[in-house]
């Protein structure tokens, strides 16, 4: 009986053990954009002590919650990582950058 109770309480303790931070929101306002246009990323985390944002050039520390504008020149995947002493969780947002080719503007068509 004692072993049964010990097993029960070990399982209860494991369920209540500290967990990693949570990413409640990680969104961008443009999954597709034209080259030169800005992209606004917004995130919100919970139970995190450190948050980083990586655009493929290496992680940079950011606020636990916030927004940041980027102007990507090419298709980019952004990775948000939220950490605490127990674990790290990540989320990704990808954007596709298109470069329209305009060789000539026919101003007469606008008159």
């Amino acid at each position: 009986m004692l072993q049964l109770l010990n097993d029960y309480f070990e399982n209860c303790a494991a369920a209540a053990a500290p967990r990693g931070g949570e990413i409640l929101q990680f969104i961008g306002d443009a999954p597709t954009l034209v080259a030169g246009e800005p992209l606004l990323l917004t995130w919100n985390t919970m139970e995190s002590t450190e948050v980083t944002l990586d655009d493929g050039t290496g992680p940079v520390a950011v606020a636990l919650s916030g927004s940041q504008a980027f102007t990507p020149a090419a298709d980019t995947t952004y990775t948000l990582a939220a950490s605490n002493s127990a674990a790290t969780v990540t989320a990704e947002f990808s954007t596709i950058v298109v470069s329209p080719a305009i060789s000539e503007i026919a101003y007469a068509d606008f008159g």
Side-chain angles (χ1 to χ4, degrees), residues 4 68 110:
L4 180 64
Q68 188 166 339
F110 295 104

Side-chain angles (χ1 to χ4, degrees), residues 33-46:
L33 54 86
V34 175
E37 290 184 335
L39 165 69
L40 183 66
L41 295 177
T42 301
W43 62 92
N44 187 11
T45 68
M46 184 173 81

Side-chain angles (χ1 to χ4, degrees), residues 9-79:
F9 287 117
E10 282 181 23
N11 288 333
C12 289
R19 58 187 178 159
E22 287 187 57
I23 298 173
L24 302 176
Q25 176 188 48
F26 183 46
I27 59 172
D29 66 348
T32 302
L33 54 86
V34 175
E37 290 184 335
L39 165 69
L40 183 66
L41 295 177
T42 301
W43 62 92
N44 187 11
T45 68
M46 184 173 81
E47 298 182 11
S48 302
T49 55
E50 180 182 13
V51 177
T52 61
L53 185 58
D54 187 350
D55 63 358
T57 61
V60 175
V62 294
L64 301 180
S65 295
S67 295
Q68 188 166 339
F70 294 87
T71 307
D75 296 359
T76 305
T77 297
Y78 297 87
T79 303

